[in-house]
Amino acid sequence: MKVAGSGLKKIAGLAGPFVGLILVITIFSLMPEVSDRFLNLANIKSVATQSVIVALCALGMTLIIVSGGIDLSAASNLALSCVLVAYAINLGVPPLLAALVGVAAGGTIGFLNGFLITRLRLVPFIVTLGMMGIARGLAKWVARNQKIDAPLSWLNELMVRTSKPSWLLVSPGIWLMILFSLVMAVLLRKTVFGRHAFAVGSNELTARLCGVRTDRVKVVVYTISGLLCGLAGVMEFSRLTVGDPTVAMGLELDIIAAVVIGGGSLSGGEGSILGTLVGVFIMAFLRNGCTMMGWPNYFQEIIIGAIIIAAVTLDRLRHRQE
Amino acid sequence: MKVAGSGLKKIAGLAGPFVGLILVITIFSLMPEVSDRFLNLANIKSVATQSVIVALCALGMTLIIVSGGIDLSAASNLALSCVLVAYAINLGVPPLLAALVGVAAGGTIGFLNGFLITRLRLVPFIVTLGMMGIARGLAKWVARNQKIDAPLSWLNELMVRTSKPSWLLVSPGIWLMILFSLVMAVLLRKTVFGRHAFAVGSNELTARLCGVRTDRVKVVVYTISGLLCGLAGVMEFSRLTVGDPTVAMGLELDIIAAVVIGGGSLSGGEGSILGTLVGVFIMAFLRNGCTMMGWPNYFQEIIIGAIIIAAVTLDRLRHRQE
Amino acid sequence: RRGDKQSSGPRTYKVAVIPKGTTHEFWKAVHAGAVKAGQELGVEIFWKGPQKEDDRAQQITVVEDFISRRVDGIVLAPLDDRALMRPVDEAMREGIPVVIMDSNLQGDNYISFVATDNYQGGVLAARRLAEVLGGKGKIFLIRYLEGSASTTFREQGFLETITRDYPGIEFLVKDQFAGTTTESAYQLTENLLSRYPQVEGIFAPNESSTFGALRALQHFGLAGKVKLVGFDSSVKLIQALENNEIQGLALQDPMKMGYLAVKVLLDHIQGRPVEKRIDTGVTMATPENMNRPEIRSLLEPDFARYVR
Amino acid sequence: MPEKPLLSLTGISKSFGPNQVLDAVDFELEAGEVQAILGENGAGKSTLIKILSGAYKPDRGRMFISGVEYRPSGPLEGRRQGIAVIYQELNLAPHLTVEENIMLGQEESRLGLVDRKKNLERIKKVLEFLCHPEISPDIPVRKLSVGARQVVEIARALASQARILVMDEPTSSLSQEDTRRLFEIIRKLRAEGVGIIYISHFLEEVLEIADRFTVLRDGKVVGRGLIKETSVEELIQLMIGRRISELFPRLPHQPGEVILSCSGIKSNRMSRPVDLDLRRGEILGVAGLVGAGRTEFLRALFGLDRLEQGLVVVSGRRFRPSFTAVSIGCGLGMQSEDRQVEGLAVRMNLADNLTLSRLKPYVRSGFLNGRKQKAAASRWIERINIKARSPEQKVWTLSGGNQQKVALARLLHQEAEVFLLDEPTRGIDVMSKAQIYELMGRLAADSKAVIFVSSYLPELLGVADRIAVFHRGQLVEVRPAASWTEASLMRAAVTGRESDPVLTGERP
Ligand SMILES: Nc1ncnc2c1ncn2[C@@H]1O[C@H](COP(=O)(O)OP(=O)(O)OP(=O)(O)O)[C@@H](O)[C@H]1O
Ligand SMILES: Nc1ncnc2c1ncn2[C@@H]1O[C@H](COP(=O)(O)OP(=O)(O)OP(=O)(O)O)[C@@H](O)[C@H]1O
Ligand SMILES: [Mg+2]
Ligand SMILES: [Mg+2]
């Protein structure tokens, strides 16, 4: 009885964030101009591939937001990693190693964020705002204010629209996204560390008094998120085939929006991986649909703005009914 | 005795936020390449004029942040106002009226923010993020994705470097900035409304318990801030002489940074107009100094990032000693 | 499959035209050209740029989305000569022909390349600035944006010509980037003017940076005294040209570019042979020659008929 | 070798800025004893506890556990040494579930993965031990009432199987039933050799459960001894240095005309509508178990919760409570049971908190006069003995009891006609309590009216004119205080049945 009840509630809880997504997909599917092409498998694959980069960053951002922080440097971090991968490949470093360099750079920036936040006791907003400038500046520096061309390698096959090898069904990037979503969901929900992250976000003082090493939790949280941004940078390089220091300008707000649309609370203690993914896909399908319809950009901007508000309103209404 | 003590403390409190500013100015003044030009009256005037726009927005942002909110739509709001002013002037509306249209548009966006936040009980981050897209989209729509050229009028004299009439000493824009700083400082510190704004930001539940109409306070806060953004848009038009829908892209983060550097706390209940102004000037002098030194942009980005962190660190250290 | 289309009688082709951004006057004129071609040739034009100006990743997304939409052809002004290669390859592989305009794309897996010779534009600007300065003086080169190909060529053309041909001209600044907005160019120039009051000439490589520099000069009361040579045109720039506040504007022919790109694409779709490289020319407008009709039409392309 | 005491503190000193809070405090705790720490509000008890737990660092002094020096770098260290603390201010993560809160920092895990089954087993045991098996481990703590939260806190401390258990006012929101159960558990733990430090302002509790006591005054130890050999009077004298004449001073007051009457008040959180009249010059006590809905009633009356039905008439003005501003305008004033979350803006200063609900007197031609505001706050600080350095002190730096006084002072300053007091004496020391009772009496004598919610029956019986009893979200009975006894109140609160009227009780 009790189990059944909680089971039902869980399903309702799961369906919740999907409402917005289903709405967006339905609306575009009903548009006569694109109806046949919108829900086409190839298009869905293509949207999924486009989402990989934002999704990877948003996974880390979920962890950060759950623990009561915020990371404005995510997009710059991604750009830095993207540039470093190209730089490394140009130096003759093997692609795998180059990718690791990118991921490691992301992790370093993340670690620095965490370190400064905990050591200097600064608010995350400011530290990561500063780091946003620093990482972006470093990226431009490394790239000498240009984009870096690098010879093609298998790295550039990770984000293709049509998967190679074909038995993968979808591109390796999508598999990576799925894999890391699962890992992060388990980390957040099933591990002691995840619980501590929630506790720190919900009430830091309490967590500290209960013997949680809040500083360590935060440093780890930012480092993990940084690593994921680094990975997203590798994916961006894979997609662009060049190291572009100006890539993903302003993307941090999209990433944060995805997490919040998915039910994350900026005051900490709330958020889920599934919700975040839904948030990412809402935004991606919106962009895709608007482009396919050929709507002008300003129209798209207005619609996306309105949908962000609407999606979160829906989510809140659902919560209130509970 | 007691009065003297509190007086001394006040002076220390005032000097505090200035430390960062003085540091920045001193450093550049000591650079042999620019020492003579940096502290030159003309340069200071020019920096002040550049700051007017950010400062006006930051005044409103201070009020919002004090009351526990945030406004990501500030920069888009400014752009919309800037475009509308040009549009109105092109329609043959007299300049003064056109300026009022811009200010009113800003107020409307602000009011909408406040309305949605209080009615839908949404977090300000999301509402204003959505509004950021909507206002920007509207601006581009009105301007048909272009700059709107408008005939010159006295409006374009507000932000000149050399004041006309000359007895003004500095441009009318700077006077406006000073005037509104005073008004906002008085509003924040010397009125019941200001006290209520602090209370709402510090603990909304308590404010409600004490009979503060929290929703009304918030709506007013966002509306005032919107009006100031609208005014900033008029100033931007004055400066550019065209209505540019892409102006001030990403400026919202600069504005927020200025408030936080000046001691505002994103969790609400803290912030001051004086601090915010210092924050604005720290950023403006940094940009000015870096450009004058001819440092490459990436270097400038890195330094500004680092200084943001350093300035806030200084501020926190000062607080800890207290 | 081209044959299929021809045999299915008269039909409206759907063509996506993808600029680098949507808010510069320049792209408006390209749009007008494309629409003009569309009206004349019976093609429906989808005009869609990346949502954020100059965002390579978003432009890739836009191309991909139009591949999903299965348009009949794409005209693309690539933000990056490398990054856009793969989506273009993909389009070509899926039978969607692509014409490149404005900036080059590496490789040659496209139908045709329709563009201004940007390097040549920089050279023209250098000659003009040298001319008005009398072959000597101190100048700023204000750059546009890190990694933007077309403007980089202009900057390069300018820089190399000055260094090679005019030893009397000295660069006070040549590595500062103005950024994408007028306001950022405005502030940069102001700050540079505060530092180097001795400057005598400025070159800015696109419309927004030219206008920003102009506003800064006006602000300092130096407009007309410091010689300014810019790129592209807009109402305010034309006024400045009239008032002799700007001494030269390197003009492309964006309407022609948009028109030709669509036309070439349609030629290809309908099986006619096309040239691989089409130059749309670059001209220097000066206060002296600006009233000649051929210059006037470049300064103020008549696009109101095609786009609002 | 002589037996080393379980815990010994020597020469512990601590100051916050110029304020010396602890001054060379010595303290010893044996295994298997319950020792009470007593003292006025602001005497330094909680500070001492926080030093012991590792939350604060002492300026001077040393600590030993079983003779081994203990120098905690943080609360984690304290926990590892087997010290469990129930802090005075509730300390829970609101978004986390009961299970997650209880196990926080002590999760059962394998390879970093939480072993939920084991966790639940441990929790179940503890909650059953506390006789609260109805608290579901999966419910987020923010949805619990204050009383239930305190149970969760206690459960957390018990689940950690500590050697030293510190309780800083564990019973301030507990029902008597729960208090009794807690005492049973304390006795059991004592028998198992756990050392227990017990802090409370309920002296009879202390007399019942403690073996020894230590009294702090102004941060110094002023007395210690065996509970067996002492009395309430002696303890009080040690705490304040003088005797108090009477705990429940009664000022004569006469109920007058009806000032507040509510008809059919029901919020979405109450189970049944409530009708009630209140007269001028009357103190109405409200009793009930934890979660009986007393708080909900006050909130509905004041307009804090969404009202489903009902009307309120205050001094002849009818309104439907929905805006606190209106309620305050009509002369209502409320003090919240949860001072940390709702009652006070702890990051604002004392003066602002105190005057927030009535800033008018300090406004002249639209401008606020901060100096006058602070002067007024200073007067109130003196009038009700708030231990604070200045009106500009931030509220969170005050001791728990003094914070409570600030919340009360606000209502007095507001010059309300009807006072809605929800557990106003939580965490307040004996002397101040007497003072607050006296204050209530004086309000009544001034023909104001007071609704006084409390879980502490003696004070209800001692102060109120009438007492209402709530049970499961509904009002079951209202009768003159004289016709209630502790036993009959308890019975009504637990069973929800009206007791046999000894005298004819009036029903509204
Ligand atoms: N963080 C702090 N900063 C400044 N002063 C503090 C701080 N914490 C406590 N104090 C001061 O220390 C004194 C002792 O506080 P403490 O909380 O130990 O009292 P207490 O004995 O627990 O009182 P109560 O019975 O009211 O809980 C008080 O005067 C309080 O204002
Ligand atoms: N153990 C519990 N588990 C779940 N919900 C509870 C529990 N205890 C209380 N509640 C909820 O809280 C509501 C009333 O709590 P509230 O604290 O307002 O009552 P109260 O009579 O004021 O008790 P208190 O003595 O705690 O102030 C109940 O109707 C119930 O929904
Ligand atoms: Mg205490
Ligand atoms: Mg209660």
Side-chain angles (χ1 to χ4, degrees):
Chain A
M1 170 74 206
K2 210 175 168 186
V3 176
S6 98
L8 261 178
K9 221 176 170 183
K10 246 188 195 156
I11 291 172
L14 286 181
F18 285 111
V19 173
L21 183 57
I22 291 167
L23 212 74
V24 168
I25 293 183
T26 315
I27 290 175
F28 282 111
S29 311
L30 293 180
M31 297 277 174
E33 293 100 319
V34 294
S35 55
D36 49 333
R37 307 220 169 109
F38 188 73
L39 270 189
N40 175 309
L41 190 67
N43 188 45
I44 292 177
K45 262 198 212 173
S46 142
V47 173
T49 312
Q50 290 164 9
S51 311
V52 170
I53 291 163
V54 176
L56 284 174
C57 294
L59 291 178
M61 191 68 85
T62 309
L63 184 60
I64 289 185
I65 284 180
V66 155
S67 74
I70 196 165
D71 184 4
L72 296 176
S73 69
S76 304
N77 193 348
L78 182 164
L80 177 60
S81 153
C82 173
V83 166
L84 283 177
V85 174
Y87 191 82
I89 287 188
N90 268 353
L91 285 184
V93 175
L96 185 65
L97 213 63
L100 286 181
V101 167
V103 174
T108 311
I109 296 285
F111 172 78
L112 274 178
N113 278 333
F115 182 82
L116 291 172
I117 289 168
T118 53
R119 276 311 128 97
L120 304 183
R121 305 239 155 269
L122 295 181
V123 282
F125 193 94
I126 279 301
V127 169
T128 58
L129 181 65
M131 198 56 80
M132 169 178 158
I134 295 176
R136 182 70 69 179
L138 283 176
K140 289 183 184 170
W141 194 359
V142 171
R144 307 247 160 268
N145 263 331
Q146 291 300 316
K147 51 130 186 172
I148 302 184
D149 286 318
L152 289 179
S153 67
W154 59 264
L155 261 189
N156 301 109
E157 305 293 323
L158 294 177
M159 293 281 282
V160 290
R161 262 158 46 102
T162 42
S163 59
K164 293 185 239 182
S166 63
W167 52 263
L168 270 177
L169 296 174
V170 292
S171 68
I174 296 183
W175 285 117
L176 271 177
M177 171 172 76
I178 296 174
L179 173 70
F180 279 99
S181 301
L182 289 176
V183 169
M184 291 299 288
V186 168
L187 185 75
L188 216 51
R189 285 289 163 193
K190 299 280 171 203
T191 65
V192 173
F193 172 76
R195 281 193 176 194
H196 287 183
F198 271 100
V200 169
S202 181
N203 187 341
E204 184 172 348
L205 190 67
T206 293
R208 214 167 74 81
L209 290 177
C210 287
V212 174
R213 294 172 193 270
T214 51
D215 282 0
R216 190 189 286 179
V217 168
K218 284 193 205 169
V219 171
V220 174
V221 159
Y222 280 92
T223 309
I224 290 180
S225 170
L227 288 169
L228 284 168
C229 289
L231 184 62
V234 176
M235 292 296 141
E236 189 69 83
F237 168 76
S238 163
R239 203 167 142 74
L240 292 181
T241 71
V242 299
D244 174 6
T246 63
V247 81
M249 209 81 100
L251 198 73
E252 57 279 350
L253 291 181
D254 275 19
I255 296 169
I256 296 170
V259 177
V260 179
I261 289 177
S265 154
L266 289 171
S267 44
E270 279 175 81
S272 76
I273 294 298
L274 189 67
T276 295
L277 288 179
V278 170
V280 169
F281 281 111
I282 287 181
M283 308 260 281
F285 271 112
L286 262 178
R287 291 244 154 79
N288 171 262
C290 287
T291 305
M292 279 177 115
M293 292 297 297
W295 287 339
N297 280 345
Y298 50 79
F299 204 48
Q300 184 171 331
E301 263 178 284
I302 296 175
I303 289 184
I304 291 183
I307 292 273
I308 288 177
I309 297 179
V312 179
T313 310
L314 274 179
D315 190 54
R316 291 304 173 270
L317 284 180
R318 190 172 55 86
H319 268 287
R320 212 171 301 167
Q321 279 168 0
E322 247 176 38
Chain B
M1 172 70 207
K2 210 174 169 186
V3 176
S6 100
L8 260 177
K9 218 178 172 183
K10 248 189 193 154
I11 292 172
L14 285 180
F18 286 111
V19 173
L21 183 57
I22 292 167
L23 212 74
V24 168
I25 294 183
T26 316
I27 290 175
F28 281 112
S29 312
L30 294 180
M31 298 276 173
E33 294 100 317
V34 294
S35 53
D36 48 334
R37 311 242 163 85
F38 188 73
L39 271 189
N40 175 308
L41 190 66
N43 187 45
I44 290 177
K45 263 198 212 174
S46 135
V47 173
T49 312
Q50 287 170 11
S51 311
V52 169
I53 291 162
V54 176
L56 284 174
C57 294
L59 291 178
M61 191 68 84
T62 310
L63 184 60
I64 289 185
I65 284 180
V66 156
S67 74
I70 196 164
D71 183 4
L72 296 176
S73 69
S76 304
N77 194 349
L78 182 164
L80 177 59
S81 153
C82 173
V83 166
L84 283 177
V85 175
Y87 191 81
I89 288 188
N90 268 352
L91 284 184
V93 175
L96 185 64
L97 214 62
L100 285 182
V101 167
V103 174
T108 311
I109 296 284
F111 172 78
L112 274 178
N113 279 333
F115 182 82
L116 291 172
I117 288 168
T118 53
R119 275 313 129 95
L120 304 183
R121 307 237 155 270
L122 295 181
V123 282
F125 193 94
I126 278 301
V127 169
T128 58
L129 182 65
M131 198 57 78
M132 167 177 159
I134 295 175
R136 182 70 69 180
L138 284 176
K140 289 185 184 166
W141 194 359
V142 170
R144 308 240 168 275
N145 253 332
Q146 290 299 305
K147 284 199 268 267
I148 301 187
D149 291 307
L152 289 179
S153 68
W154 59 262
L155 263 188
N156 302 110
E157 305 291 320
L158 293 177
M159 294 282 281
V160 291
R161 243 165 61 101
T162 42
S163 60
K164 290 184 241 181
S166 63
W167 51 262
L168 272 177
L169 295 174
V170 291
S171 68
I174 296 183
W175 284 117
L176 271 178
M177 172 171 78
I178 295 172
L179 174 71
F180 280 100
S181 301
L182 289 175
V183 169
M184 290 299 288
V186 168
L187 185 75
L188 214 53
R189 287 284 163 197
K190 292 282 164 199
T191 67
V192 172
F193 171 76
R195 210 44 65 94
H196 284 179
F198 270 100
V200 169
S202 187
N203 187 342
E204 190 173 341
L205 291 175
T206 306
R208 220 156 76 82
L209 188 74
C210 291
V212 175
R213 290 176 193 267
T214 51
D215 282 0
R216 192 187 288 178
V217 168
K218 283 195 208 168
V219 171
V220 174
V221 159
Y222 280 92
T223 308
I224 292 180
S225 170
L227 289 169
L228 284 167
C229 290
L231 185 63
V234 176
M235 292 297 140
E236 187 70 80
F237 168 76
S238 163
R239 210 167 134 74
L240 294 182
T241 70
V242 297
D244 178 358
T246 63
V247 81
M249 207 78 104
L251 199 73
E252 57 279 350
L253 290 181
D254 274 20
I255 296 168
I256 297 170
V259 177
V260 179
I261 290 177
S265 153
L266 289 170
S267 43
E270 277 172 77
S272 76
I273 295 297
L274 189 67
T276 295
L277 288 180
V278 170
V280 170
F281 282 110
I282 286 182
M283 307 260 282
F285 272 111
L286 261 178
R287 291 245 154 78
N288 173 264
C290 288
T291 310
M292 280 179 119
M293 290 299 297
W295 288 337
N297 290 40
Y298 50 78
F299 203 49
Q300 191 169 324
E301 266 178 278
I302 295 175
I303 288 184
I304 291 182
I307 292 274
I308 288 178
I309 298 179
V312 179
T313 310
L314 274 178
D315 190 53
R316 293 302 173 271
L317 284 179
R318 187 172 57 85
H319 268 286
R320 210 169 304 165
Q321 281 168 359
E322 249 174 37
Chain C
R1 58 181 305 147
R2 252 180 261 147
D4 287 355
K5 277 175 190 162
Q6 265 177 339
S7 61
S8 65
R11 55 163 298 206
T12 344
Y13 293 102
K14 291 182 166 53
V15 168
V17 182
I18 305 171
K20 291 180 176 178
T22 43
T23 57
H24 285 292
E25 203 113 339
F26 178 81
W27 294 112
K28 193 87 173 181
V30 172
H31 188 187
V35 170
K36 182 173 176 224
Q39 284 173 1
E40 286 175 13
L41 307 169
V43 175
E44 189 184 341
I45 302 289
F46 293 109
W47 175 259
K48 183 83 186 175
Q51 196 177 359
K52 292 196 189 79
E53 303 282 303
D54 306 305
D55 189 319
R56 292 177 174 85
Q58 277 192 1
Q59 199 180 37
I60 294 178
T61 303
V62 172
V63 175
E64 285 177 354
D65 288 346
F66 278 118
I67 299 175
S68 286
R69 169 88 198 245
R70 302 215 50 81
V71 289
D72 297 301
I74 294 175
V75 173
L76 171 70
L79 274 167
D80 192 286
D81 57 352
R82 259 295 285 285
L84 270 298
M85 252 170 94
R86 198 164 54 200
V88 169
D89 286 349
E90 230 166 293
M92 296 291 286
R93 196 166 54 236
E94 301 209 4
I96 301 173
V98 181
V99 167
I100 301 299
M101 66 173 170
D102 187 53
S103 292
N104 204 353
L105 190 72
Q106 289 183 18
D108 59 356
N109 192 12
Y110 50 78
I111 306 306
S112 177
F113 175 43
V114 183
T116 313
D117 187 341
N118 281 306
Y119 187 91
Q120 185 56 30
V123 173
L124 280 184
R127 299 235 166 91
R128 175 64 187 165
L129 191 57
E131 181 189 332
V132 293
L133 287 176
K136 62 180 190 333
K138 299 186 167 60
I139 61 168
F140 298 161
L141 163 60
I142 291 177
R143 290 177 184 264
Y144 172 59
L145 184 73
E146 292 90 340
S148 153
S150 55
T151 49
T152 306
F153 278 125
R154 295 170 200 167
E155 290 150 13
Q156 208 180 335
F158 182 85
L159 193 66
E160 286 178 7
T161 310
I162 294 283
T163 359
R164 192 182 54 232
D165 298 346
Y166 303 98
I169 293 181
E170 176 196 338
F171 283 100
L172 292 171
V173 171
K174 58 183 174 189
D175 286 318
Q176 296 263 349
F177 289 82
T180 52
T181 67
T182 305
E183 176 66 38
S184 55
Y186 191 165
Q187 285 194 12
L188 178 89
T189 316
E190 270 188 313
N191 293 339
L192 289 177
L193 288 173
S194 291
R195 163 86 202 263
Y196 301 107
Q198 70 270 37
V199 67
E200 291 163 83
I202 298 178
F203 169 64
N206 78 334
E207 197 273 336
S208 65
S209 53
T210 308
F211 187 45
L214 172 69
R215 286 295 298 140
L217 288 177
Q218 289 171 340
H219 197 168
F220 272 68
L222 291 173
K225 293 181 197 131
V226 174
K227 309 300 178 200
L228 175 61
V229 172
F231 225 98
D232 296 341
S233 84
S234 70
V235 177
K236 294 278 173 185
L237 293 186
I238 296 167
Q239 280 170 9
L241 203 60
E242 275 165 2
N243 300 340
N244 212 3
E245 292 176 330
I246 290 181
Q247 282 66 37
L249 284 176
L251 296 181
Q252 315 179 59
D253 193 345
M255 256 184 93
K256 187 168 163 196
M257 192 186 292
Y259 182 88
L260 281 181
V262 173
K263 180 159 188 317
V264 163
L265 182 62
L266 197 74
D267 282 346
H268 172 79
I269 291 174
Q270 295 178 337
R272 287 186 286 275
V274 298
E275 271 177 69
K276 194 81 188 179
R277 172 75 173 92
I278 297 169
D279 184 358
T280 51
V282 54
T283 322
M284 178 56 63
T286 62
E288 297 82 43
N289 73 5
M290 67 179 291
N291 287 322
R292 282 191 230 144
E294 73 272 17
I295 303 283
R296 203 77 217 180
S297 75
L298 287 176
L299 277 169
E300 292 174 297
D302 175 29
F303 54 69
R305 278 170 46 207
Y306 305 101
V307 288
R308 278 178 312 154
Chain D
M1 203 171 110
E3 187 85 28
K4 294 263 172 51
L6 177 57
L7 172 73
S8 97
L9 314 182
T10 56
I12 298 287
S13 297
K14 174 82 185 170
S15 48
F16 293 106
N19 190 9
Q20 179 96 21
V21 173
L22 290 176
D23 188 4
V25 170
D26 296 332
F27 181 82
E28 263 181 22
L29 179 73
E30 299 289 349
E33 75 157 343
V34 178
Q35 185 167 170
I37 301 182
L38 301 169
E40 280 184 286
N41 292 137
K45 305 179 294 295
S46 299
T47 307
L48 187 65
I49 295 317
K50 285 182 187 155
I51 286 173
L52 175 59
S53 77
Y56 286 170
K57 278 200 176 37
D59 298 339
R60 267 187 311 282
R62 306 171 72 182
M63 301 191 269
F64 301 88
I65 294 179
S66 307
V68 182
E69 174 133 30
Y70 158 67
R71 231 183 278 146
S73 57
L76 182 60
E77 188 93 15
R79 246 189 130 123
R80 287 218 176 119
Q81 292 289 338
I83 300 174
V85 183
I86 300 169
Y87 293 96
Q88 182 176 16
E89 306 303 345
L90 291 179
N91 235 311
L92 296 164
H95 301 91
L96 268 54
T97 63
V98 169
E99 179 222 333
E100 287 164 340
N101 263 293
I102 293 178
M103 299 310 290
L104 187 55
Q106 49 184 348
E107 294 87 354
E108 296 278 359
S109 65
R110 223 176 337 167
L111 303 171
L113 289 178
V114 174
D115 188 340
R116 222 174 106 78
K117 226 202 261 144
K118 265 197 198 159
N119 276 339
L120 286 177
E121 267 167 31
R122 264 173 79 179
I123 288 169
K124 215 171 138 216
K125 229 168 46 202
V126 179
L127 285 178
E128 262 164 21
F129 209 36
L130 284 166
C131 291
H132 274 285
E134 86 285 356
I135 297 181
S136 151
D138 289 324
I139 188 170
V141 158
R142 62 162 183 260
K143 295 193 175 157
L144 293 183
S145 71
V146 176
R149 285 183 211 172
Q150 188 137 34
V151 172
V152 172
E153 283 246 25
I154 294 172
R156 173 159 68 203
L158 295 183
S160 74
Q161 291 164 341
R163 280 196 290 170
I164 300 173
L165 181 58
V166 185
M167 303 191 185
D168 195 350
E169 304 222 32
T171 57
S172 63
S173 314
L174 284 193
S175 68
Q176 276 173 330
E177 191 60 19
D178 281 329
T179 307
R180 211 176 38 72
R181 283 192 210 115
L182 179 65
F183 283 2
E184 275 167 33
I185 293 167
I186 290 178
R187 291 199 186 96
K188 224 180 284 176
L189 291 174
R190 173 169 60 189
E192 286 167 14
V194 177
I196 295 165
I197 298 176
Y198 191 87
I199 298 176
S200 175
H201 290 298
F202 295 104
L203 294 183
E204 60 273 41
E205 278 183 7
V206 169
L207 291 185
E208 183 186 340
I209 194 69
D211 305 309
R212 283 202 291 168
F213 65 88
T214 298
V215 179
L216 288 179
R217 192 197 309 152
D218 291 332
K220 292 193 194 65
V221 176
V222 292
R224 51 167 60 102
L226 292 177
I227 287 287
K228 278 197 295 246
E229 299 161 3
T230 187
S231 63
V232 172
E233 288 71 32
E234 191 198 1
L235 289 179
I236 291 178
Q237 197 176 0
L238 278 172
M239 281 157 69
I240 50 172
R242 62 184 163 84
R243 287 176 189 285
I244 59 166
S245 44
E246 205 190 348
L247 193 54
F248 300 115
R250 283 199 77 95
L251 280 152
H253 53 267
Q254 196 59 52
E257 86 268 25
V258 172
I259 180 169
L260 171 139
S261 88
C262 50
S263 43
I265 285 282
K266 182 181 176 310
S267 75
N268 50 358
R269 297 213 242 156
M270 292 163 67
S271 62
R272 274 257 200 106
V274 170
D275 298 293
L276 200 69
D277 282 344
L278 186 66
R279 297 172 180 285
R280 284 190 181 277
E282 184 181 39
I283 302 174
L284 173 72
V286 181
L289 297 182
V290 172
R294 297 162 297 173
T295 300
E296 268 60 31
F297 167 61
L298 288 195
R299 294 177 67 86
L301 187 58
F302 192 59
L304 277 172
D305 285 344
R306 190 182 296 269
L307 214 58
E308 282 177 354
Q309 61 174 79
L311 267 181
V312 175
V313 184
V314 181
S315 323
R317 287 159 76 182
R318 296 162 67 85
F319 63 100
R320 199 189 160 91
S322 53
F323 284 108
T324 51
V326 174
S327 311
I328 288 178
C330 290
L332 290 181
M334 179 167 163
Q335 170 250 324
S336 166
E337 72 177 330
D338 192 341
R339 59 173 174 255
Q340 289 285 306
V341 172
E342 182 170 52
L344 296 165
V346 292
R347 285 181 301 147
M348 296 227 286
N349 67 29
L350 212 158
D352 281 335
N353 266 286
L354 212 151
T355 55
L356 186 57
S357 54
R358 192 173 67 104
L359 286 167
K360 256 217 198 84
Y362 315 111
V363 180
R364 186 167 301 152
S365 52
F367 296 110
L368 203 59
N369 185 334
R371 197 164 329 130
K372 257 173 122 184
Q373 191 193 1
K374 269 163 213 140
S378 297
R379 280 198 298 281
W380 281 105
I381 290 174
E382 252 162 60
R383 196 170 319 166
I384 63 169
N385 284 327
I386 298 174
K387 199 168 175 186
R389 267 171 288 142
S390 86
E392 286 179 79
Q393 191 173 353
K394 299 265 187 272
V395 165
W396 67 268
T397 63
L398 294 177
S399 82
N402 283 305
Q403 292 180 8
Q404 189 74 25
K405 288 183 184 176
V406 175
L408 269 177
R410 174 162 65 218
L411 286 197
L412 298 172
H413 171 267
Q414 182 190 320
E415 297 180 346
E417 292 283 305
V418 181
F419 289 74
L420 311 179
L421 307 180
D422 199 354
E423 311 270 7
T425 54
R426 260 186 67 193
I428 284 191
D429 66 37
V430 190
M431 292 63 66
S432 310
K433 263 185 206 161
Q435 203 190 341
I436 286 171
Y437 302 144
E438 193 187 333
L439 210 92
M440 284 192 227
R442 198 152 56 221
L443 290 172
D446 286 351
S447 61
K448 313 226 146 109
V450 180
I451 297 184
F452 173 27
V453 172
S454 170
S455 305
Y456 182 49
L457 300 180
E459 67 178 9
L460 283 180
L461 289 166
V463 181
D465 302 310
R466 278 193 301 159
I467 298 179
V469 178
F470 274 73
H471 175 78
R472 303 216 173 171
Q474 69 187 77
L475 175 65
V476 289
E477 194 165 13
V478 196
R479 277 201 276 148
S483 68
W484 288 108
T485 60
E486 263 191 58
S488 67
L489 270 179
M490 242 357 253
R491 197 162 51 235
V494 173
T495 63
R497 272 195 299 273
E498 302 190 14
S499 48
D500 314 322
V502 184
L503 306 162
T504 6
E506 53 174 303
R507 285 273 289 154

